[in-house]
Coordinates of all heavy atoms in Angstrom, one line a residue:
Chain A
N177 N -28.5 -34.4 -68.2 CA -28.8 -33.0 -67.9 C -27.7 -32.5 -67.0 O -27.4 -33.1 -66.0 CB -30.2 -32.8 -67.3 CG -30.6 -31.3 -67.3 OD1 -30.0 -30.5 -68.0 ND2 -31.5 -30.9 -66.4
K178 N -27.1 -31.4 -67.4 CA -25.9 -30.9 -66.7 C -24.9 -32.0 -66.6 O -24.6 -32.6 -67.6 CB -26.3 -30.4 -65.3 CG -27.2 -29.2 -65.3 CD -27.5 -28.6 -64.0 CE -28.3 -27.3 -64.1 NZ -27.5 -26.1 -63.7
Y292 N -26.4 -32.5 -51.6 CA -27.4 -31.6 -50.9 C -28.6 -32.3 -50.3 O -29.3 -31.7 -49.5 CB -27.8 -30.4 -51.8 CG -28.9 -30.8 -52.8 CD1 -30.2 -30.6 -52.6 CD2 -28.5 -31.3 -54.1 CE1 -31.2 -31.0 -53.5 CE2 -29.5 -31.6 -55.0 CZ -30.8 -31.4 -54.7 OH -31.8 -31.8 -55.7
H331 N -32.6 -31.5 -61.2 CA -32.6 -31.4 -62.7 C -32.5 -32.8 -63.4 O -32.5 -32.9 -64.6 CB -31.4 -30.5 -63.1 CG -30.1 -31.0 -62.6 ND1 -29.6 -30.4 -61.4 CD2 -29.2 -31.9 -63.0 CE1 -28.4 -31.0 -61.2 NE2 -28.1 -31.9 -62.2
F349 N -37.8 -34.4 -52.6 CA -37.5 -33.0 -52.6 C -37.2 -32.6 -51.1 O -37.8 -33.1 -50.2 CB -38.7 -32.1 -53.1 CG -39.0 -32.4 -54.5 CD1 -40.2 -33.1 -54.8 CD2 -38.3 -31.9 -55.5 CE1 -40.6 -33.3 -56.1 CE2 -38.6 -32.1 -56.8 CZ -39.8 -32.8 -57.1
N350 N -36.2 -31.7 -51.0 CA -35.9 -31.3 -49.6 C -37.0 -30.5 -49.0 O -37.0 -30.4 -47.7 CB -34.6 -30.4 -49.7 CG -33.4 -31.3 -49.5 OD1 -33.5 -32.5 -49.2 ND2 -32.2 -30.7 -49.6
E421 N -56.8 -46.8 -49.7 CA -57.9 -45.9 -50.0 C -57.5 -45.0 -51.1 O -58.4 -44.6 -51.9 CB -58.4 -45.2 -48.8 CG -57.4 -44.3 -48.1 CD -58.0 -43.5 -46.9 OE1 -59.3 -43.5 -46.8 OE2 -57.3 -42.9 -46.1
R424 N -58.1 -46.9 -54.3 CA -59.6 -47.0 -54.5 C -60.1 -45.7 -55.1 O -60.8 -45.7 -56.1 CB -60.3 -47.3 -53.2 CG -61.7 -47.6 -53.3 CD -62.3 -48.0 -51.9 NE -63.7 -48.2 -52.0 CZ -64.6 -47.2 -51.9 NH1 -64.2 -45.9 -51.7 NH2 -65.9 -47.4 -52.0
L428 N -61.8 -45.3 -58.8 CA -63.2 -45.0 -58.8 C -63.5 -43.6 -59.3 O -64.5 -43.3 -59.9 CB -63.8 -45.3 -57.5 CG -63.9 -46.8 -57.1 CD1 -64.4 -46.9 -55.7 CD2 -64.7 -47.6 -58.1
I532 N -78.2 -51.5 -49.7 CA -79.5 -51.9 -49.1 C -80.3 -50.6 -49.2 O -80.0 -49.6 -48.7 CB -79.3 -52.3 -47.6 CG1 -78.4 -53.6 -47.6 CG2 -80.6 -52.6 -47.0 CD1 -78.2 -54.1 -46.2
R626 N -68.1 -49.5 -55.0 CA -67.8 -48.1 -55.2 C -68.4 -47.2 -54.2 O -68.1 -46.0 -54.1 CB -68.1 -47.6 -56.6 CG -69.5 -47.5 -56.9 CD -69.7 -47.3 -58.4 NE -69.0 -46.1 -58.8 CZ -69.6 -45.1 -59.3 NH1 -70.9 -45.1 -59.5 NH2 -69.0 -44.0 -59.7
N627 N -69.4 -47.7 -53.4 CA -70.0 -46.9 -52.4 C -70.2 -47.8 -51.1 O -71.2 -48.5 -51.1 CB -71.3 -46.2 -52.8 CG -71.8 -45.3 -51.8 OD1 -71.4 -45.3 -50.7 ND2 -72.8 -44.4 -52.2
L628 N -69.3 -47.7 -50.2 CA -69.4 -48.6 -49.0 C -70.5 -48.1 -48.1 O -71.0 -48.8 -47.2 CB -68.1 -48.7 -48.3 CG -67.0 -49.3 -49.2 CD1 -65.6 -49.2 -48.5 CD2 -67.2 -50.7 -49.5
L629 N -70.8 -46.8 -48.2 CA -71.8 -46.2 -47.3 C -73.2 -46.8 -47.4 O -73.9 -47.0 -46.4 CB -71.9 -44.7 -47.5 CG -71.1 -43.7 -46.7 CD1 -71.5 -42.3 -47.1 CD2 -71.4 -44.0 -45.2
N630 N -73.6 -47.1 -48.7 CA -74.9 -47.6 -48.9 C -75.0 -49.1 -48.6 O -76.0 -49.8 -48.9 CB -75.4 -47.3 -50.2 CG -74.6 -47.8 -51.4 OD1 -73.8 -48.8 -51.1 ND2 -74.7 -47.3 -52.6
S632 N -75.1 -50.4 -45.7 CA -75.8 -50.6 -44.5 C -77.1 -49.9 -44.5 O -77.3 -48.9 -45.2 CB -74.9 -50.2 -43.3 OG -74.7 -48.9 -43.4
Y633 N -78.0 -50.3 -43.6 CA -79.3 -49.6 -43.5 C -79.7 -49.9 -42.0 O -79.6 -51.0 -41.5 CB -80.3 -50.2 -44.4 CG -81.5 -49.4 -44.7 CD1 -81.6 -48.5 -45.8 CD2 -82.6 -49.4 -43.8 CE1 -82.7 -47.7 -46.0 CE2 -83.7 -48.5 -44.0 CZ -83.7 -47.7 -45.1 OH -84.8 -46.9 -45.3
T634 N -80.2 -48.8 -41.4 CA -80.7 -49.0 -40.1 C -82.1 -48.3 -39.9 O -82.3 -47.2 -40.5 CB -79.7 -48.5 -39.0 OG1 -80.4 -48.2 -37.8 CG2 -79.0 -47.3 -39.4
S639 N -77.2 -43.6 -36.7 CA -76.1 -42.7 -37.1 C -76.4 -41.2 -36.6 O -75.5 -40.4 -36.8 CB -76.0 -42.8 -38.6 OG -77.2 -42.6 -39.2
Q640 N -77.6 -41.0 -36.1 CA -77.9 -39.6 -35.8 C -76.9 -38.9 -34.9 O -76.5 -37.8 -35.2 CB -79.3 -39.5 -35.1 CG -79.9 -38.1 -35.1 CD -80.1 -37.6 -36.5 OE1 -80.8 -38.2 -37.3 NE2 -79.6 -36.4 -36.8
N643 N -73.9 -38.1 -36.8 CA -74.1 -37.0 -37.7 C -74.0 -35.7 -37.0 O -73.4 -34.7 -37.5 CB -75.6 -37.1 -38.2 CG -75.6 -38.1 -39.4 OD1 -74.5 -38.5 -39.8 ND2 -76.7 -38.3 -39.9
T647 N -71.7 -32.7 -37.9 CA -72.2 -31.4 -38.4 C -71.7 -30.3 -37.5 O -71.3 -29.3 -38.0 CB -73.8 -31.5 -38.2 OG1 -74.2 -32.7 -38.8 CG2 -74.4 -30.3 -38.9
L650 N -68.1 -29.6 -38.6 CA -68.1 -28.8 -39.8 C -68.5 -27.3 -39.5 O -67.8 -26.4 -40.0 CB -69.2 -29.3 -40.8 CG -68.8 -30.5 -41.7 CD1 -70.0 -31.0 -42.5 CD2 -67.7 -30.1 -42.6
Q651 N -69.5 -27.1 -38.7 CA -70.0 -25.8 -38.3 C -68.8 -25.0 -37.7 O -68.5 -23.9 -38.1 CB -71.2 -25.9 -37.4 CG -71.6 -24.6 -36.7 CD -72.3 -23.7 -37.7 OE1 -72.6 -24.1 -38.8 NE2 -72.5 -22.4 -37.3
Q655 N -67.1 -21.6 -39.1 CA -67.1 -20.4 -38.3 C -65.6 -19.9 -38.2 O -65.4 -18.7 -38.4 CB -67.6 -20.7 -36.9 CG -69.1 -20.7 -36.9 CD -69.6 -20.7 -35.4 OE1 -70.0 -21.8 -34.9 NE2 -69.6 -19.6 -34.8
N656 N -64.7 -20.8 -37.9 CA -63.3 -20.4 -37.8 C -62.8 -19.8 -39.1 O -62.2 -18.7 -39.1 CB -62.4 -21.6 -37.4 CG -62.3 -21.7 -36.0 OD1 -61.9 -20.8 -35.3 ND2 -62.6 -22.9 -35.4
L658 N -64.5 -18.4 -41.6 CA -65.1 -17.1 -41.9 C -64.5 -16.0 -41.0 O -64.2 -14.9 -41.5 CB -66.6 -17.2 -41.7 CG -67.4 -18.0 -42.7 CD1 -68.9 -18.1 -42.3 CD2 -67.3 -17.3 -44.1
F660 N -61.6 -16.0 -39.7 CA -60.2 -15.7 -40.1 C -60.2 -14.8 -41.3 O -59.4 -13.9 -41.4 CB -59.6 -17.1 -40.5 CG -58.2 -17.0 -40.9 CD1 -57.2 -16.7 -40.0 CD2 -57.8 -17.1 -42.2 CE1 -55.9 -16.6 -40.4 CE2 -56.5 -17.0 -42.6 CZ -55.5 -16.8 -41.7
S662 N -62.4 -12.6 -42.1 CA -62.8 -11.2 -41.7 C -61.7 -10.5 -41.0 O -61.6 -9.3 -41.0 CB -64.1 -11.2 -40.9 OG -63.8 -11.6 -39.6
L663 N -60.8 -11.3 -40.3 CA -59.7 -10.6 -39.6 C -58.6 -10.1 -40.6 O -57.9 -9.2 -40.3 CB -59.0 -11.6 -38.7 CG -59.6 -11.7 -37.2 CD1 -58.7 -12.7 -36.4 CD2 -59.5 -10.3 -36.6
L664 N -58.6 -10.8 -41.8 CA -57.6 -10.4 -42.7 C -57.7 -9.1 -43.3 O -56.8 -8.4 -43.7 CB -57.6 -11.5 -43.8 CG -56.9 -12.8 -43.5 CD1 -57.0 -13.8 -44.7 CD2 -55.5 -12.6 -43.1
Chain B
N50 N -71.8 -14.6 -37.7 CA -70.8 -15.6 -38.1 C -71.4 -17.0 -38.0 O -71.2 -17.8 -38.9 CB -69.6 -15.4 -37.1 CG -68.6 -16.6 -37.2 OD1 -68.8 -17.6 -36.7 ND2 -67.5 -16.3 -37.9
F51 N -72.2 -17.2 -37.0 CA -72.8 -18.6 -36.8 C -73.7 -18.9 -38.0 O -73.7 -20.0 -38.6 CB -73.5 -18.6 -35.5 CG -74.0 -20.0 -35.1 CD1 -73.2 -20.9 -34.4 CD2 -75.3 -20.4 -35.5 CE1 -73.7 -22.2 -34.1 CE2 -75.8 -21.7 -35.2 CZ -74.9 -22.6 -34.5
K55 N -73.4 -21.6 -40.9 CA -74.5 -22.6 -41.0 C -75.0 -22.7 -42.4 O -75.3 -23.8 -42.9 CB -75.7 -22.1 -40.1 CG -76.7 -23.2 -39.7 CD -76.1 -24.1 -38.6 CE -76.9 -25.4 -38.4 NZ -76.2 -26.4 -37.7
S58 N -72.4 -25.0 -43.8 CA -72.3 -26.3 -43.3 C -73.6 -27.1 -43.4 O -73.6 -28.3 -43.5 CB -71.8 -26.3 -41.8 OG -72.8 -25.8 -41.0
D66 N -76.5 -36.4 -44.1 CA -77.7 -37.0 -43.7 C -78.3 -37.9 -44.7 O -78.7 -39.0 -44.4 CB -78.7 -35.8 -43.3 CG -78.5 -35.3 -41.9 OD1 -77.7 -36.0 -41.2 OD2 -79.1 -34.3 -41.6
S69 N -76.4 -40.9 -45.1 CA -76.1 -41.8 -44.0 C -77.1 -41.9 -42.9 O -76.9 -42.4 -41.8 CB -74.7 -41.4 -43.4 OG -74.8 -40.0 -43.1
L70 N -78.3 -41.3 -43.2 CA -79.3 -41.3 -42.1 C -79.7 -42.7 -41.7 O -79.9 -43.0 -40.6 CB -80.5 -40.5 -42.6 CG -81.5 -40.0 -41.5 CD1 -80.7 -39.1 -40.6 CD2 -82.7 -39.3 -42.1
N71 N -79.7 -43.5 -42.7 CA -80.1 -44.9 -42.4 C -78.8 -45.8 -42.5 O -79.0 -47.0 -42.8 CB -81.1 -45.4 -43.4 CG -82.4 -44.7 -43.2 OD1 -82.7 -43.7 -43.8 ND2 -83.2 -45.1 -42.2
R72 N -77.7 -45.2 -42.4 CA -76.5 -46.0 -42.6 C -75.7 -46.1 -41.3 O -75.8 -45.3 -40.4 CB -75.6 -45.3 -43.6 CG -76.2 -45.0 -44.9 CD -76.7 -46.2 -45.7 NE -77.4 -45.8 -46.9 CZ -78.1 -46.6 -47.6 NH1 -78.3 -47.9 -47.2 NH2 -78.7 -46.2 -48.7
V73 N -74.9 -47.1 -41.3 CA -74.0 -47.3 -40.2 C -72.7 -46.5 -40.6 O -72.0 -47.0 -41.5 CB -73.7 -48.7 -39.9 CG1 -72.8 -48.9 -38.7 CG2 -75.0 -49.5 -39.7
I74 N -72.4 -45.4 -39.9 CA -71.3 -44.6 -40.4 C -70.0 -45.2 -39.8 O -69.9 -45.6 -38.7 CB -71.5 -43.2 -39.8 CG1 -72.7 -42.6 -40.6 CG2 -70.3 -42.3 -40.0 CD1 -72.8 -41.1 -40.5
S79 N -62.4 -40.8 -43.4 CA -61.3 -41.2 -44.2 C -61.6 -40.7 -45.6 O -62.7 -40.3 -45.9 CB -61.1 -42.7 -44.2 OG -62.2 -43.3 -44.7
L80 N -60.6 -40.8 -46.5 CA -60.8 -40.5 -47.9 C -61.9 -41.4 -48.5 O -62.8 -40.9 -49.3 CB -59.5 -40.7 -48.7 CG -59.5 -40.3 -50.1 CD1 -59.7 -38.8 -50.3 CD2 -58.2 -40.8 -50.8
T81 N -61.9 -42.6 -48.1 CA -63.0 -43.5 -48.6 C -64.4 -43.0 -48.2 O -65.3 -43.0 -49.0 CB -62.8 -44.9 -47.9 OG1 -61.5 -45.4 -48.3 CG2 -63.8 -45.9 -48.4
Y84 N -65.2 -39.7 -50.1 CA -65.4 -40.0 -51.5 C -66.8 -40.6 -51.7 O -67.6 -40.2 -52.5 CB -64.4 -41.0 -52.1 CG -64.7 -41.4 -53.5 CD1 -64.7 -40.6 -54.5 CD2 -65.1 -42.8 -53.7 CE1 -65.1 -41.0 -55.8 CE2 -65.5 -43.2 -54.9 CZ -65.5 -42.3 -56.0 OH -65.9 -42.7 -57.2
D85 N -67.1 -41.6 -50.8 CA -68.4 -42.3 -50.9 C -69.6 -41.3 -50.6 O -70.6 -41.3 -51.3 CB -68.5 -43.5 -49.9 CG -67.6 -44.6 -50.3 OD1 -67.0 -44.5 -51.4 OD2 -67.5 -45.6 -49.6
Q88 N -69.9 -38.9 -53.8 CA -70.6 -39.5 -55.0 C -72.0 -39.9 -54.7 O -72.8 -40.2 -55.6 CB -69.7 -40.7 -55.4 CG -69.6 -41.8 -54.4 CD -69.3 -43.1 -55.0 OE1 -69.3 -43.3 -56.2 NE2 -69.0 -44.1 -54.2
N89 N -72.4 -39.9 -53.4 CA -73.8 -40.3 -53.1 C -74.7 -39.2 -53.6 O -75.8 -39.5 -53.9 CB -73.8 -40.4 -51.6 CG -74.8 -41.5 -51.2 OD1 -74.5 -42.6 -51.5 ND2 -75.8 -41.1 -50.5
T112 N -68.6 -8.0 -43.3 CA -67.4 -7.7 -42.5 C -67.0 -6.2 -42.7 O -66.7 -5.6 -41.7 CB -66.2 -8.6 -43.0 OG1 -66.6 -9.9 -42.9 CG2 -64.9 -8.3 -42.2
I173 N -37.0 -26.5 -63.3 CA -36.4 -27.6 -62.5 C -35.2 -28.3 -63.3 O -34.4 -28.9 -62.7 CB -37.4 -28.7 -62.1 CG1 -38.1 -29.3 -63.3 CG2 -38.4 -28.1 -61.0 CD1 -38.8 -30.6 -62.9
F174 N -35.3 -28.2 -64.6 CA -34.2 -28.9 -65.4 C -33.0 -28.0 -65.4 O -31.9 -28.5 -66.0 CB -34.7 -29.2 -66.8 CG -35.8 -30.2 -66.8 CD1 -37.0 -30.1 -67.5 CD2 -35.7 -31.4 -66.0 CE1 -38.0 -31.0 -67.5 CE2 -36.7 -32.4 -66.0 CZ -37.8 -32.2 -66.7
Q175 N -33.1 -26.8 -64.9 CA -31.9 -25.9 -65.0 C -31.2 -25.7 -63.7 O -30.1 -25.2 -63.6 CB -32.3 -24.6 -65.6 CG -32.9 -24.6 -67.0 CD -32.0 -25.2 -68.1 OE1 -30.8 -25.1 -67.9 NE2 -32.5 -25.7 -69.1
I176 N -31.9 -26.0 -62.6 CA -31.3 -25.6 -61.3 C -30.5 -26.8 -60.7 O -30.7 -28.0 -61.1 CB -32.3 -25.2 -60.3 CG1 -33.4 -26.2 -60.1 CG2 -32.9 -23.9 -60.7 CD1 -34.5 -25.8 -59.0
D177 N -29.5 -26.5 -59.9 CA -28.7 -27.6 -59.3 C -29.4 -28.3 -58.1 O -29.2 -29.5 -58.0 CB -27.4 -27.0 -58.8 CG -26.5 -26.7 -60.0 OD1 -26.6 -27.4 -61.0 OD2 -25.7 -25.7 -60.0
E179 N -32.9 -27.7 -55.1 CA -34.1 -27.0 -54.7 C -33.8 -26.2 -53.4 O -34.6 -25.4 -53.0 CB -35.3 -27.9 -54.5 CG -35.2 -29.0 -53.4 CD -34.6 -30.3 -54.0 OE1 -33.8 -30.2 -54.9 OE2 -34.9 -31.3 -53.4
D180 N -32.6 -26.3 -52.8 CA -32.3 -25.7 -51.5 C -32.5 -24.2 -51.6 O -33.0 -23.6 -50.7 CB -31.0 -26.1 -51.0 CG -31.0 -27.5 -50.4 OD1 -32.1 -28.1 -50.3 OD2 -30.0 -28.0 -49.9
Y197 N -47.3 -7.6 -44.2 CA -48.7 -7.8 -44.0 C -49.1 -7.2 -42.6 O -50.1 -6.5 -42.5 CB -49.1 -9.2 -44.0 CG -50.6 -9.4 -43.7 CD1 -51.6 -9.0 -44.6 CD2 -51.0 -9.8 -42.4 CE1 -52.9 -9.1 -44.3 CE2 -52.3 -9.9 -42.1 CZ -53.3 -9.5 -43.0 OH -54.6 -9.6 -42.7
K201 N -51.7 -4.2 -42.2 CA -52.9 -4.4 -41.4 C -53.0 -3.3 -40.4 O -54.1 -2.7 -40.2 CB -52.8 -5.8 -40.6 CG -53.9 -6.0 -39.6 CD -55.1 -6.5 -40.3 CE -56.2 -6.8 -39.2 NZ -57.5 -6.3 -39.6
Q269 N -67.3 -21.5 -30.1 CA -67.9 -20.1 -29.9 C -67.1 -19.2 -29.0 O -66.9 -18.1 -29.3 CB -69.3 -20.3 -29.3 CG -70.3 -21.2 -30.0 CD -70.3 -21.0 -31.5 OE1 -70.4 -19.9 -32.0 NE2 -70.1 -22.1 -32.3
R275 N -61.7 -13.9 -30.7 CA -61.2 -13.2 -31.9 C -62.0 -11.9 -32.1 O -61.5 -10.9 -32.6 CB -61.2 -14.1 -33.1 CG -60.0 -15.1 -33.0 CD -60.3 -16.4 -33.6 NE -60.5 -16.3 -35.1 CZ -60.5 -17.3 -35.9 NH1 -60.4 -18.6 -35.4 NH2 -60.7 -17.2 -37.2

Side-chain angles (χ1 to χ4, degrees):
Chain A
N177 191 19
K178 297 184 172 246
Y292 79 91
H331 53 267
F349 296 106
N350 268 353
E421 58 176 348
R424 183 177 179 275
L428 293 176
I532 298 182
R626 71 192 299 245
N627 186 346
L628 299 172
L629 264 185
N630 61 18
S632 62
Y633 198 97
T634 158
S639 50
Q640 196 61 55
N643 277 357
T647 311
L650 274 175
Q651 169 73 11
Q655 275 191 264
N656 268 309
L658 286 174
F660 183 73
S662 76
L663 270 184
L664 283 180
Chain B
N50 171 278
F51 188 89
K55 200 78 192 164
S58 71
D66 276 351
S69 52
L70 199 58
N71 293 95
R72 309 296 177 195
V73 182
I74 290 195
S79 63
L80 183 66
T81 299
Y84 171 70
D85 290 358
Q88 61 159 349
N89 218 62
T112 302
I173 58 160
F174 294 134
Q175 302 297 340
I176 57 178
D177 285 328
E179 61 272 29
D180 280 359
Y197 176 75
K201 173 79 179 135
Q269 304 316 309
R275 285 153 65 169

